[in-house]
Structures are given as structure tokens and as C-alpha cells.
Amino acid sequence: MNGELKSKAAVAAAADPRSNVTAEQAEQILMDEAEKAGSPAYFFDPNAAPEEKAAAAHADVPQDFYQHRPSAAGLISDIGSGAPDAYDLPSPTKAKAVSPSRSPVPSTPVAGTNGHFSKDEEARWASRVGWAPRFGEGAMTEEEKNETLLDRATALETKLDDKLFGDWYHNAAVIVFACLASWVVALLGGGLAWVFIVMAFCGTYYRTSIRRVRRNFRDDIHREFAKARLETDTESLEWMNSFLVKFWPIYAPHICEIIIASVDQILSTTTPPLVDSLRMKFFTLGTKPPRFEFVKTYPKADDDIVLMDWKFSFTPGDKMDMTARQLKEKLNPKVILEIRLGMGVVSKGLDVIVEDFAFSGLMRVKIKLQQAFPHIDKVDICFLGKPDIDYVCKPLGGETLGFDINFIPGLEAFIVEMIHGTLQPIMYDPNVFPIEVAKIMAGNPVDQAIGIVAVTLYGAQGLKNPDALSSTPDPYAVLSLDNRDVLGKTKIIKQNANPRWNETLYVIATSLTSTLTLQVFDFNEFRKDKELGIASFAMDRFQADTDHENLQLEVMSNGKQRGVVQTDMRFFPVLEGLKLENGKQEPPPESNTGIARFTVEQAKDLDSSKSMVGNLNPYAILLLNGKEVHTSQKLKRTNRPIWSDGAKEFFITDRKSARLGLVIKDDRDMSADPVLGTYQVKLDDMMKFVDEEKEWFKLSGTKTGSVKLSLQWKPVSIPGIMGGSGGYSVPIGVMRLHLQGARDLRNVEAMGKSDPYVRVLLSGIEEAKTVYFPNNLNPDWDEVLYVPVHSPRERLVLEVMDYQNLTKDRSLGLTEISAADYVKQGEDGEYEVHNHQRSRFEPLRMHGGGPPKGTLNFTVAFYPTLNVVDPEDEEAERALTGSAKGSHSRNASRASARQGSKKSFEIDPVTAENEREDKVGKVDTKLADHVSDSEEKYEDGEPKAAPKLRLTSDELVKHDTGLLIIKLIEGDFSRSNLHLEVIMDDMVFPSHSFSKATSKHTEFGETGDAVVRELDMSRITLRLMEKEDKKGDEQSEHIFAKLTGDTLAVLQKSLYTPTEYVLKGSDGSINKVKISTKYLPINMTLDPSESMSNMGSLRVDVLEASNLPSADRNGYSDPYCKFELNGEGVYKTKIQKKTLHPVWNESFETSIKSRTAAKFSVRVMDWDFGDKADFLGAATIDLTMLEPQLAKDVSLTLDGKSGAIRLRLLFKSAYVTRSRQRSSTFSGTIGPATKVLSGPIKGVGKVGGGVAKGTSFLKHGFRGSKDIPNGTPKADSFTNGDSAPIPSIETPEAANGTAQRVVSGTGSTAAAAISPITPAGQSMHARTPSFGSKSAVGATPGKADAGQASFTIVSASGFPTTAKLQVQVKQVVPKGHKEVYKTRAVKSSAGQCQWENESFKVNCSPDCQFLIQVLDHKMFGSDDLGEALYFIDDAGSGSEKAVSCAGGTVTIKSSFSQQAEGAALSTSPRAVSRRSFLGKRDSSRQGTPS
């Protein structure tokens, strides 16, 4: 209380302006008082990120808060040793799976829709537990529904008033009446019948009276008990008793069924001598539930202890508080135990019946709390005093002639004392019965697994025996966790102090807080093995680095070193789905490697004909890839076994080839155990059965019998260590996502707008994303993304993100897509195409919850991959078939060889011990070869499988669209910490990124995929990325080496064949990667808008115009052309003076993202000095009429008064990388894909045999890393407008055979450099030549008059508030861009800024083009905020113009003044005069504007 008052006073003082107490001092007082009180208190920086606040709070969590009890478990791997299968199992099949039906399963029946069972099921439940699960007491009449516990009135009771019975004199009157009535009957000579009538009347009255007395008495007792509770602080539990009354009819049959199944199996395994079997034949707890009278708590117990006393009673015989309906349905507790005496056929079963048992007592419950989940460590239960026990036991005679042994004098007390004597050391105070809640809820290790630890034990050096007199040790190593249970064991090396084991042991890790211990032992044949020492490894070291290689762990014993163990430790985490903030868990990603838990739960209908007595002793053997991995317990005399230990965990490195097997045998003491049935299934198929809720499977090799199996799977990422696929799972198809745009997005920026992009998450892993649109809340991405999917269970998350340059990107909302809505499988086994592509407008919610804000517009389609024959799988199946056929003969030969060897010599103890460890269970070498032939032909046939396509390198061109699967085998690099990325076609971001190379030579074994849209025109880029440090802690990636080539040629060379490629680094170093590829065709027709023929570069030759209208007084015009693409200006020609038939002969190029969607037009304008340009006409240019790679002359009629314009158009197909909105279109063009070297390759035709070496891409047409300019943007920072670095192209030859050079935005200089576009004498009309062609000698033909442009930078708005804005003006020249002016940097406090005296002049022509670029100025470089093309105001008005730059606006004034003939122009203010060599000042040459 004092601490609370002190805290309140501190807060009040801090709020008082007259006080000297500051807010910081008040916060410190609050924290100090909270810590004194024992509650957690944290102080956060209010401006800190949520992650920083969470880390500060997490630092105060106790170290063992997240610990779990089962912290590790040993694993068996599916990596084969080359030995044949132990059993001749039938081939893996899907036909034996039993489809789940609506009918109840016999072991766990399910009630129908009305809550009741069929008559057969009710009879089966009644024969075992007394009644079937039900709600309440079944069907009731209206009178019974309205009946209360005390309303069980007789007819007499309903007629008499309460005042007429119930008191003592009423009862006395009845007695007097009975006596007098009997005397009168006798006096009148009545018979015995009249006496019975009098007795019935008096008995009825007495019963009615005594019931009322008991009811009143019970009410009085309850009132007295209520007073006693107040005095003893006990609490009533009537709410629990009321709940049990309704819950007991439902729950009791199920708990009885569980007890029967569990106890029956325990009794069958613990049968005493001379007893053939023990079985629990019947068990029920009765229809009346237990009752809790009161509970008393002890609040003064320790803080981690909850202590209570519970008074309970289980008295099914008490009928006073039961209704008539309950009495009618009443069933007393009963247990029937069948004891079968004798052996085999000569045996007889006797029923021992225990019924009507009851007990009551006072029980103390002690709950121990803990900080780790589930926060309850254990519950201790004990009885305070001996409970009251009552029962009826009939060991002989059964139901009819049974005799209760308690009637024997002294026997009942003796048995009760024996019960108390047995229970006293278990649960009578002070002894307690513990219930380990934490262990029970922890589950199996697979549930809690966070990863796999691979411990590779190479060997040991210098092992020393502590005993000086001992000989050279026979060492072996045992792996455990904290020196507890054994998780793995190596083989024994005979007499070697420097053993070489070369074994890898696998452990399921559920926590990284423990220590792995390696105990080294010396094997002894006749005595206990001697421990040489212990080496330890702290698992928390995996948090910093998951790979620890070449470890030299010291073997310590009694503080002395006894040798060194050489080992590698690797940790592979479990792949988890993304957990959203609303608590939803995304499914984990598909993986080919992981942890599997295979369980055989029970069997039914086993073939009893294989036993002489009709009852079997079954046990189960689990197999993995034909090898025994686990043997269950052996049960006695049951044809419906339930195994409690039928589960085994193992480590799977190749899921698609793993086989799960089961063999059920009958235990025979004197002969070989016969096989009762077998089953084998592929692990992939078993996972599908689990999804389909199929759990029962028919056994092979037997007439009857089914088995219940289950599988639990957790994917694990294991890159390359096993030489497999690194966890890659083959997709079943691809989802096509057309992300059209979004509207009304959240604005998370303080000033300015968000920079949105969309990323696609699959199981929490980013698979693809769009470019971002800066400063835009209504972006139109219009991008198509392809995402491979592996199962209909998967869910895709479309999340709109706000791009951040320095900090982590922020979410703007997300929506989910279920693959099951689009992925459907046909009857033929193939997945169907879903190509409706309906537009979806989905609201965006933060973390999947909360109110929506903004909508995302997109379409979804699914295209399946074709089922292609994999040569590697075929080879594995052939090897498996050959192994199965020859396993029987090999097993027999090995058995005979072992028998012969035993006769010739004795096996040494070490070898015998190693063989014993290798042998998990019995191997039945006499299993008949005709097992599969004797299988019963079930009605369920093998499910139809999709037909497979055999694909060769020559047939690749038949399938234009497909999925390219790339396996990175190994790499040799010039430096470490590089990683390989795969870029396809026009994609900005990589289709797949492989893991980082930790050394110069790294073996990866990783597999990735990429979608190929047009195989014959596709190109692939392999690039090595390296991280580089920038200022501060910022890191970015840059391209270290790159190689680009034709996808088809790469695929043809490396299809199923390891091939080596060479990448030349930026420093001239040589880097090599070895890859192999596969190709899965996709069943889809490519949309024309995505075809390469729909995108590329367009070359426009502006030739001439004719019959233009006159716009000037002199009867002529000064025409020029302006070309616009999708509303943006792309080019402006020179001005031709005083002509109606101008000849421009200019050319330019621009990138076309989509010909079908492009809006390309030309406007012909008349230039006027000092006035606005006049419109002469316009025309729309249809780009769909062009044939790629073929030039076409077009004449377009203008929509003005008159006139036509002649153009020559050449469209060159090429992939166009996504560009930023309103960015410059002169940033380079893209060329067609080039070729891969098609020379000879040193490869081997056989799959997996040989490596194609020395293959590289052609140097012609490709850029290595030296061709990458210094200004290349980083790989992951492309915005909407940044073009990825692409190779240059070769332009097609002209008709005369001369190559035409591509010129962007050229005027007469370009015209002079290339062959004449309009040869002399080939004019399309007769016209008056323009004045430009008649100009004086030395003047450039067609060139507009030179002059001076004046610029004034006025203001800027709409940019981020944190930016320091600077405007840079560049002039577009034939060689690129030349900077002419740069303003000073001004802080944008409110998103707007003004400039004063920011004016300059530039010598140029009136049709000159400028690039306006807005920068965020920084000390060490500037960030580009946007750019836009700008044409000067040649009208000379000097009015303000608003230029849009990526969401912001720059206001500029410009004007143009024509140069007087012979006059010298002054340049920008920074220009100065230059003194000539002879000392005379020369003002005719002006300085270049800076």
C-alpha cells in the first residue's frame, strides 16, 4: 500500500507545474516500486520500433521460460547401406486404402445426426460398457421433462394435503388404524385378502409420509451444512455436479471404452503362470456420476503452489436424489474380468465379477506451477485419511449363481485392509500420486521439434583408459542429451586407441538450451562397459552459427583429458509457416526432406485361422525402405490388437522415394512366427491419405485384416548435405496472378504518400513481387507473376507493402488465396486447368484482421504441369524391383553362410555386438515368394494415375511453356560469401536465390525452379551476388559476375546431366558453377500480351509530311512533330521553317511494353515565336499492324484541315524490363535473346554419369561483369522505372545490306551518319522545298534557328517531408544527358519548398528537350525521387508549368528568345569570358554551362 501511495504521489507531483519533480523521475519511481512489489516493469523509448520494444521485454524473460521437457530424440535415417530389403513386401500401392465413410467405425462409433446409434451399435456398446453415449436419459415424456428431483409423488400424495401427513401423530394414527382395521376384519370373519388390502393402504400412506419427512429433513440438513460451510470456509460445487449430470451420459461410455482397451492390453502382456490369458470382458462406471460435496482452499500456500481439499463421493447406490426416469435407466457399476486357465486348446474361461462398488473420501490436491508452458508442472493427489470403500465381488458362479465373498465373516475387512495397504504408499497422506502435466502436454518429440542436429563422428585420437593395467580399448561413442537417455550409438572398433567411426547420428532437437554429450566407452564382454570420458557441445552455439565443422572436442574424465573426438555439428531448422499477428498459422512450405513419425495404432479382423485356438498373439514390425526400424510389444490372445508403442520417428532425406512398410506377425514360443499380413506404401501417398482422412488399410497376403496407420510430417531445410534435392518438392502446377492495381491504400508516411508494391507469400516465404510505385496510393502495376504450388492445401498471401529505402518495409494490408479453390484433380488423375480469370476486388486488412482499408484488384488462374518421366526415378524403381526379386535368395544365402561360418569358427564378441546392434528385429527369410499372388482382389482398384510424358532434349521445343528446375550441385568461386541467382527473361527480381557459399568450394545440392513462358525466345541469366558494406550498418548487394544465355540451349545441354558454367567476375576472376536441369511442361496457352512478340523496341523514322494547313500569315507553317506513348511525350522533332511539305529525316527509339495495349500517337504543331503553338493535325499509330523485325512505311492522314505524314516503323521483339512510371524513356533499349555456345561438350549420355565441362555462353551478344556500368542499380532496389542491365542488340541490316545504326533522339547529325532515308527522286509528292533546305552554305539542313532558353525553378511539392530537395536540369543531347543546372538543396518541412533566384539560361534550339530530376540531397550521395521530360515554352510567354515527377510536382518558368543573326548569345550566369593565347580578350567563345 505504501508503494502504491508513493507511486501516485510521484505521478501527481510530476503533473503539477509548481513541483520540481520531472517526468523522468516519476517514471523511475514507478519502476522501482513495481520491482519491489515483484511485478515486471519496462521502460521503452516511445520512438523505438516494435521489434526493439519486444526485444527489451524478452530480455527480462527467465532463461528456462520456453523450455520443453522432451528436448531430444534419436532418429533413424532413410539413407541406405546398400543391403537388400529384409522382407519381400508387395509393391507400394494405393489400392488398399479404405475410403472414410459416413458409417460408424467399429472401434470408435459416431452417432448419427439425431444423436442416437443404430440398434447394432447400441447393442455392442451395451455389451462392453453398459450403454451407448447419449444426451441425458434419452427420450422423455412431457411429464418426465417437467419432473424435479423431489417430485416423485404417488396417487395418494397428490390427493392429500401436506397437513394430513408427515407428523408423528399421523404415523401413530396409521398404526392405530391398521390394528383396529385388522381386528374388525377378524371380527367380521374376513379373510387374509382383506388384511393385505389394509396393509397396502397403510404402507402407501406410510411411504408418502416418510418421503416428506426425509425431504424436510434434507432441507434442514442443507441449511445446517450451509452454516457449517461459512464457519469452515468451504465452497459448494453444485455447478460442477450439475455439469456432471449432463456430461456423464456422454463421457462415461468413452472413458470405459478407453479403460477396457488399455487395461486389456496390459493384462495380456502380464499374464501369470498357469493362466492362458486375462481379459477385461465388461466395464462400466454406472449411470450416476461422482459428486463433489465441497472444496476448501489454502490461500497462504507458496506462490507457486495451489493447495485445495476436495470432498467427493461416488455412491451409485444412493437413489434419493434421482428422478423416476433416472431410476428407470439406472445401471450400477460392474467389472467382469475373464481369467482363462490352462494353455491353448485345453483352457477354460472364468468370469470374476465386481459390481456395486462405491467410495467416498477427502482428497488433497496440490498443483505445482511453473513459468514454462503449460505453466502447470504437476498435480499431486493424496487422500486425507482412508476413504470408505464398498463393493460386491463374485469370483465364482457368474451372474446367476454368483456368491458375494464379502458374506464370509472377516473376509470383507481383510480385503478392505489389503486395498488400503496397497494404496497407502501410493496416495495416502503423506504419500502423493503425481500427475506430470507438463510431460503429458509436451507430446511426442515431433510435435515440439524445432530442427534436426546431425552429429558426424569421424573418429577419436589418443584415447586413454583410466585403468593403467587395462589393454588397448575397444571404443564406441554414445550420443545423449545432458548425459541422460541414449540417442545414438556408434559401432565398436576393436583394440584401437585412434578409432575411425565415420558415422552420422541424427537427433530431433526441441530446445537449444541443453548440451549434447558424447560418452566414449570401452566395450567389455563379461562386465559392464567402462566409461573413458565425456565430450560435450553446448547447443546454444547453433544460434550464432548452424554449421560447426572440424571440431576437436576433448574427452574429459575426472578433470583430465583422455583423448580428442573429431566431429562435425550441424543444425537444420524445421520449416514453419508464417504466423500472423492475429494468431493464424500459415501451412509450412513443401519440402522433400523432414521428420516423419510413422504409427501403427491398431489392427482388426486378423486372420484367426492361422491359430489353433482362434486367438492370436500379434505384434507389428515397422519398416523404412525395406529395413526394420521398430518392433512393437507382443500382445496375448487378441485379434483386435491396440499397440501403445507402435510409433517410430525417422529422418527422411528423399521423401518421394521413401517407402513405409508394415509386417504383422503372430508370436510363437516354440516355432517361427508366421506372418499375418503385410502392407507397403510410398511416403508421399501416405501423406495424401492423411489429408483425405484415410486411416484404415487392408493387409496383403491374407484373406482378412485391416490396420490403422497414421503419419506425422515436419519439413526440414537440409541444403546439400545429403546430396539430394535440398528439400525441394516438385510442383503440381503454377498459379498465374495478374496484379492489376490497388485503390485507396493506407498512407503510412508522415509526409508524402506510400510507395506500394505487392509481394506473394507461400507458406510465409516470399516467392515473387512487383516493382513499387513511388508516392502513389492508387497504383496500376499491371504485372503478371507466376508462383509454383505443390499441394491444394497451400495458401497464398498477397500483401501490399510500403517500400522503405533504409528501414524495413511496412505492410499496408493483405488478402489470402486458397489453392484449393483453383486446384482440382480430374478422374484421370490429372489436375485440371482453371483459367476463368475473373477479376477479384479484395479488401486489404492489416495482418489478415481488423477493418479493411484499400482494395486489391487481381485475377487468378491455375495451370498444371504435365507428368514427366524422370530418368532418375526410373532408375531407382528398377533398382528397387531388382532388389525385391533377389532379396529372398540373398537372405537365404546370407543365412546359410552365417550358419556355415559358425561351424568353422566362433565370431568374436565385438563383431557379435555390432551385429546385434544392427539387427532391430527378426528377419523372416522364409517369407513366401507368392505373398503378392495370394492377395485378395478388392473392389477398390489402383487409383488412376496421370499418364507420364517422356521428354528428351529434342522434344523440348514442342512445349513452349514450362517449369525449369535447376539443381545447383557445387561451385568453385574466387571468394566466399557469394550466392547464385537465376533471372528469367524480363523479370526484375530473381526467380530463385540459392544459399550463400560459405567457402570457395561449396557443395550445395539445392534445387530451385523458374517459369519459362516462351522457351524458344527465353533467356536465362546466372549471376553471382555479393554483399557490400555501405555507410553505417547498411548493406546492399552488387553483381559480382553474370552470364546470360538462351534458355533452350542451356536446357538441351544440361537436361539430367551435370554441366559446368564459367562466370567471369568483375575483377577478372574465374568462377564455376555446376548445375543440372529438368523441364516440366505447363498445360497453358500463353496470353498474347505476355509474348515476347508483343514487347520490344520501336524505331520510328520521321520522314516527311505533305499538304499541311497554313497557320502563318505568309501562307506557310513552321511545323514540328510531337510523339506521345500512353499519354507521355517521348520525342519532339526539329522545327522546319516556312513550309507545308517538311522533310525531317529524323529517327528515335522507344521501348514498348505491350503493342496491344500501347496508345501511340503523333501531333503536328506549328511553332510561333512569342505565342502558343498551333495545332495542325494528329494521327494514331496502330502498332499491331507491324511484323517484328520488318520495317514498314506508313502514311497517316492527319485529323486536321489537311495533310499527311509519312513514317517508317521497325518493331524489334525483345523482353522489356518493367520501368518506373513517368521515368525517362531514353535509358536504353533491350535486344533479343542471344545464343549459348553449341559446340561439343564432354558429357555422358547416361543420367548422372559424367559432367559436361567447359561450357560457357558466347561472348558475342552477352555482357560479362566488365560490361556492367558503374551506375547499375542493386538487384533488389528496382523501382517502377529502373531498367535492369541488359545486353546490347544488333540491328537488322537495311535492304541494301548496310547496317543501320540505332540513334535515339537524333537530328541532322544522325541523318548525316546513316544512309539517306528518303533518296533523291523518290518523293511521295511534289511540293515546295522547305526553307531549311535553301539555307546558306554551312547551315545545317532543316535545323531550327538557335536561340537562348531561360529557366526559373519556382517551387516543388508532394515530396517526402524528410527530404532535402534539389532540382537538377539536364539537356538531352545525342550522346546522352548533359547537366546544365542544379539548384541548392532546401529542406522540405511540409512537403513543399520555394526557391528564390534559381534562374539560368541555356543556348539551344526551340525544340530542345530537357530532363528534370528531383533529388534528396545527402552528404554522401543523393537519392533519386523522380524525373520527367520537359519541353521549353517556345511561345516565349514565360508562364509557370507544373511538371509531374513520380507523385510530386515541380513548378518551372521557361521562355525562348530567338538569336539575332550574327549576335553573340550570353550563356548561363556561371559563364565567364576567356582570354585568348595572345592576351586579347575573346568574348565570342562562351563557357559551357555547368
Side-chain angles (χ1 to χ4, degrees), residues 305-366:
I305 297 296
V306 177
L307 193 61
M308 296 178 289
D309 290 343
W310 293 64
K311 174 65 175 178
F312 78 98
S313 63
F314 181 64
T315 55
D318 186 7
K319 306 175 184 178
M320 293 306 301
D321 55 353
M322 301 179 69
T323 64
R325 182 67 180 178
Q326 290 173 336
L327 287 174
K328 182 180 178 181
E329 301 291 340
K330 182 177 180 296
L331 188 67
N332 290 332
K334 179 186 292 186
V335 179
I336 301 178
L337 181 66
E338 183 188 54
I339 302 176
R340 184 170 291 274
L341 303 177
M343 294 298 293
V345 181
V346 187
S347 62
K348 175 62 177 176
L350 301 177
D351 290 345
V352 177
I353 301 175
V354 179
E355 59 183 353
D356 297 340
F357 48 82
F359 59 92
S360 61
L362 183 61
M363 182 172 57
R364 173 158 292 179
V365 180
K366 180 181 178 182

Side-chain angles (χ1 to χ4, degrees), residues 224 247 290 449 561 589 657 698 727 729 755 908 938 942 983 1031 1058 1105 1150 1166 1203 1255 1325 1340 1373 1393:
E224 294 299 324
F247 184 66
Q561 181 180 354
S657 62
K698 298 177 181 179
S729 182
D755 306 328
D908 64 276
Y938 294 99
E942 182 79 18
I983 310 291
K1031 57 184 180 180
T1150 185
D1166 171 58
T1255 303
H1325 53 78
T1340 304
V1373 296
C1393 61

Side-chain angles (χ1 to χ4, degrees), residues 104 106 109 116-128 131-132:
H116 298 283
F117 292 89
S118 64
K119 293 183 178 180
D120 294 339
E121 288 301 328
E122 287 186 353
R124 195 194 72 82
W125 279 98
S127 65
R128 291 174 62 84
W131 78 93

